[in-house]
Amino acid sequence: MTTVISRTGFIQSKVGGLPRPFWVLFGGTFVNRLGTMVEPFIGIYLTQARGVSLATTGLVMTMFGLGSLLSQPVAGWLTDRLGRRITLTGGMVATAVTMIVLGYTTSVPGLVVGMLVLGIVVDAYRPASQAIVADLVSPEDRPRAFGLLFWAINLGFSVAMVAGGWLAHSGFTVLFWVDAVTCLIFGLLVWRAIPETRPAREDAQPGRFADVLRDRLMLAFVVGNLVYSLVYLQGYTTLPLAMTGQGLPTSAYGMAMAVNGLLIVVVQPLTNAWLARFDSSRVLAAGFALVGVGFAVTSLASSAAGHAAAVAVWTLGEVLTAGIPGAIVAALAPPHLRGRYSGLYGLSWSAGTLLAPLVGTRLLAAAPGLVWPLFGAFGLLAAVGQLLIGRAIRRRSAQTA
């Protein structure tokens, strides 16, 4: 009997106390990520299935990044203006339609336009999803709730990577259909099972992006996250180039990144509730610093095992950051501006996605011996910046709790 109670208490600490609509969002997010098969394989699809040149593929991918930049502020505005539920559902439906159209598009202009639209709609759900969690979940439970969503995204994506590689042998069109269907399922779940959570907007406080941009604390937080994103995203842009440049096979990179997925899936749910007990800014700063250390250690790696060890270090830092930024944004944002605040935060990731390969590849070409220590220093810089604004974040959180 004691064992049963202990086990029940353990599970309750991890998943208990969260409202039913949150679990609908959790389940829909997981299903949606299970179908995320187009984005990871889009470069291969364009070059192999459509015969597009590498230069044109780069242009198409740049258009996707441009669309992603536009999507976050637009989706944030829609989330506050029209509502969380309609923005999330509309984004999922638009993504599904765009996926099907792209799967049958053969002309280069059509692919360019299609990827621009996909960049705009595919992540439009993020500000709405974050606002829903902020609306539904109490401040003390938000780090745990956002951490659970982070885990669902990573678990679903890990499965999608394996399944997508296998399904691609049957033709890339099936990937577009799977992605579209999972988007529709997510949208339907939200529309049918999650009530609109947007607070009633007062006429005296209509809310504008100018209000967000005047929040110096939020801007400082976003800039710090942008610096961190430049470091973290090197794992998906510069790292594979650096490893193959050392003469390692592509399978070595796959093995190293498998460590990333495995650690997140296993370690993150075990530490999520425990980390939520500590100050968010200090935990986030520790995560930024550990990610920086992990990439600095990459400079010492010359084998597949060495790179896997370095990935393990920065993955543990990533685990520390899981769920924390969303909780901080929710604490900083007034209820009627949560969509716009989340959109601005998402913009830092979109900008990082565009800048990370440009900065990383140029550093790798110009100073291969300095690239990883330099990104390690960037990680520490982001950590210091987070610590410097930590007191102001705690003060704001106390006022809005």
Side-chain angles (χ1 to χ4, degrees):
M1 181 65 69
T2 302
T3 302
V4 173
I5 293 174
S6 176
R7 185 177 301 165
T8 302
F10 174 80
I11 295 174
Q12 180 72 13
S13 70
K14 301 293 183 278
V15 301
L18 298 174
R20 180 179 177 276
F22 168 80
W23 291 112
V24 175
L25 184 67
F26 175 90
T29 300
F30 176 66
V31 170
N32 178 244
R33 288 292 122 175
L34 282 176
T36 306
M37 299 180 181
V38 172
E39 289 178 67
F41 297 98
I42 193 66
I44 299 174
Y45 165 74
L46 291 171
T47 55
Q48 294 187 7
R50 294 305 183 203
V52 177
S53 67
L54 288 175
T56 304
T57 297
L59 171 64
V60 173
M61 296 300 292
T62 300
M63 295 304 291
F64 178 84
L66 178 60
S68 180
L69 275 176
L70 296 172
S71 74
Q72 295 305 289
V74 171
W77 178 82
L78 291 172
T79 296
D80 288 333
R81 187 73 178 181
L82 301 182
R84 284 72 157 124
R85 189 173 68 151
I86 192 171
T87 300
L88 201 161
T89 300
M92 287 293 104
V93 172
T95 301
V97 172
T98 306
M99 286 290 183
I100 299 302
V101 172
L102 264 176
Y104 293 95
T105 299
T106 57
S107 68
V108 171
L111 290 170
V112 169
V113 173
M115 286 298 288
L116 174 65
V117 174
L118 183 63
I120 293 174
V121 299
V122 72
D123 280 338
Y125 80 95
R126 291 186 184 275
S129 175
Q130 290 190 334
I132 288 173
V133 175
D135 294 340
L136 291 173
V137 179
S138 62
E140 59 270 18
D141 286 330
R142 283 173 190 160
R144 184 161 58 96
F146 281 114
L148 285 167
L149 285 182
F150 174 87
W151 183 76
I153 289 170
N154 279 276
L155 178 60
F157 185 73
S158 297
V159 175
M161 286 289 288
V162 177
W166 179 72
L167 289 173
H169 293 295
S170 303
F172 283 96
T173 303
V174 68
L175 302 186
F176 288 91
W177 276 100
V178 170
D179 214 328
V181 169
T182 56
C183 286
L184 288 176
I185 292 173
F186 188 16
L188 180 62
L189 281 172
V190 170
W191 189 254
R192 294 295 300 272
I194 296 181
E196 178 55 59
T197 63
R198 177 173 65 96
R201 182 168 57 86
E202 299 175 9
D203 292 337
Q205 290 184 313
R208 300 172 299 169
F209 259 113
D211 300 325
V212 185
L213 296 177
R214 280 196 291 265
D215 188 338
R216 295 182 180 180
L217 181 55
M218 180 62 184
L219 291 179
F221 176 71
V222 168
V223 170
N225 192 76
L226 173 60
V227 175
Y228 166 70
S229 73
L230 289 176
V231 179
Y232 171 76
L233 292 171
Q234 298 308 313
Y236 302 90
T237 55
T238 307
L239 181 59
L241 298 176
M243 291 180 67
T244 54
Q246 291 177 319
L248 297 172
T250 54
S251 59
Y253 174 70
M255 185 190 78
M257 294 309 293
V259 172
N260 173 263
L262 180 63
L263 281 177
I264 288 175
V265 170
V266 174
V267 177
Q268 195 264 326
L270 297 176
T271 60
N272 190 27
W274 177 69
L275 290 172
R277 302 174 185 175
F278 299 97
D279 175 68
S280 295
S281 289
R282 293 191 179 102
V283 174
L284 189 60
F288 287 173
L290 193 53
V291 169
V293 170
F295 278 100
V297 169
T298 301
S299 62
L300 305 176
S302 58
S303 64
H307 281 288
V311 168
V313 174
W314 61 257
T315 298
L316 292 177
E318 183 183 3
V319 167
L320 289 179
T321 68
I324 300 297
I328 289 177
V329 172
L332 295 180
H336 68 289
L337 290 174
R338 280 173 176 158
R340 290 176 174 87
Y341 270 70
S342 297
L344 183 61
Y345 168 72
L347 188 63
S348 68
W349 280 103
S350 298
T353 302
L354 272 182
L355 294 175
L358 296 176
V359 175
T361 54
R362 280 160 175 74
L363 284 174
L364 184 65
L370 293 177
V371 58
W372 300 119
L374 190 57
F375 280 118
F378 284 165
L380 295 178
L381 178 64
V384 170
Q386 185 60 41
L387 288 175
L388 290 176
I389 64 174
R391 179 178 295 180
I393 289 175
R394 288 189 290 274
R395 188 162 51 246
R396 179 83 66 86
S397 299
Q399 292 173 352
T400 58

